[in-house]
Amino acid sequence: MYDIGTRKRALDLVGQGRSLNSVSRETGISRAAIRSWLHRLEPLPRAVQPDPGPPADESAYSYLLGLYLGDGCISAHPRGGFYLRIACADAWPGLLQQCREAITRVRPGVGVHTVRKQGYAAVTSYHRHWPGLFPQHGPGKKHERAIRLEPWQQVIVDDHPWEFVRGLVHSDGCRVTNWTTRLVAGERKRYEYPRYFFTNVSPDIRRLFTDTLDRLEVAWTECSRYGVPYNISVARRASVGLMDAHVGPKH
């Protein structure tokens, strides 16, 4: 895109009787561009892509929001628009496919591709309006700034709470099997029990997770490391059963 000053200088050379070839060689501007300026000096206004509005699929959006808050980011393209990137570990190939499907359900028609990194893949999609769908986007790391849901996002999460929890667990959580020993009839026996963990250094994101668990009547406890809370545990049998029914392990 050439500015008005550059266009006028090229046309001044043409006005001095210079040929289009000689002006093109001197300025590095194509003859076609100079010829078009003889008919119209001002550039045509750029068409502004309208904001497509709310997510097309609110259930998929609730899941994708959880993935974004856990392992996602948005970065600006130098020539406009934005990239949404969600990191998916190679250990869970099914997660990568679920992430791709969620993006295309939230914004049908957008391109989605995968960039391979060491140990994970970044599911990436370009769109001019990703920040409008994820207003938590901002400078710096998510745990270094306040993370709050907009009212319209909270409505979607309230309508689709399990999808939101599933996205958070699939990004920053896991299902594990712990074990201990019990004395039974004088003999110590091994006892195994499953539990879910969600680990995120952002207190705001942990709060969004636990607030949603509270609404779903899932019991949880907060674990600390060196006196700093960072880990949410779901270990009670009934609550683990609910998580298994609605979330399940990553695949």
Side-chain angles (χ1 to χ4, degrees), residues 37-87:
W37 298 342
L38 292 170
H39 303 284
R40 181 187 178 92
L41 181 63
E42 296 79 10
L44 291 170
R46 286 188 175 182
V48 178
Q49 183 179 2
D51 189 324
D57 186 316
E58 292 188 349
S59 174
Y61 176 78
S62 191
Y63 175 67
L64 187 60
L65 176 61
L67 291 181
Y68 165 74
L69 291 177
D71 276 328
C73 68
I74 292 175
S75 55
H77 189 281
R79 293 190 293 275
F82 297 86
Y83 284 111
L84 169 67
R85 293 183 174 90
I86 309 289

Side-chain angles (χ1 to χ4, degrees), residues 147-216:
I147 300 294
R148 302 284 187 272
L149 296 186
E150 294 294 324
W152 64 268
Q153 291 179 298
Q154 190 63 64
V155 169
I156 292 176
V157 169
D158 289 344
D159 288 343
H160 305 278
W162 279 117
E163 286 78 2
F164 182 60
V165 168
R166 188 161 61 92
L168 288 169
V169 171
H170 282 185
S171 60
D172 272 345
C174 62
R175 185 188 190 275
V176 300
T177 300
N178 289 152
W179 66 273
T180 185
T181 59
R182 288 182 176 178
L183 196 62
V184 179
E187 182 181 356
R188 187 162 293 278
K189 294 187 177 181
R190 181 185 177 101
Y191 172 72
E192 296 183 347
Y193 60 97
R195 70 193 305 179
Y196 282 83
F197 284 109
F198 175 71
T199 304
N200 194 293
V201 294
S202 166
D204 288 340
I205 295 176
R206 290 199 307 274
R207 177 187 53 78
L208 291 172
F209 181 68
T210 56
D211 284 354
T212 308
L213 292 184
D214 288 341
R215 288 193 290 274
L216 294 168

Side-chain angles (χ1 to χ4, degrees), residues 78-135:
R79 293 190 293 275
F82 297 86
Y83 284 111
L84 169 67
R85 293 183 174 90
I86 309 289
C88 298
D90 289 344
W92 318 110
L95 171 60
L96 187 150
Q97 184 59 32
Q98 290 182 71
C99 178
R100 293 177 62 97
E101 291 175 357
I103 292 174
T104 56
R105 286 169 58 191
V106 168
R107 274 290 173 260
V110 299
V112 182
H113 62 278
T114 302
V115 179
R116 290 287 175 183
K117 304 287 185 178
Q118 185 173 358
Y120 74 97
V123 179
T124 304
S125 177
Y126 173 83
H127 185 46
R128 288 190 174 275
H129 300 287
W130 282 130
L133 283 173
F134 297 99

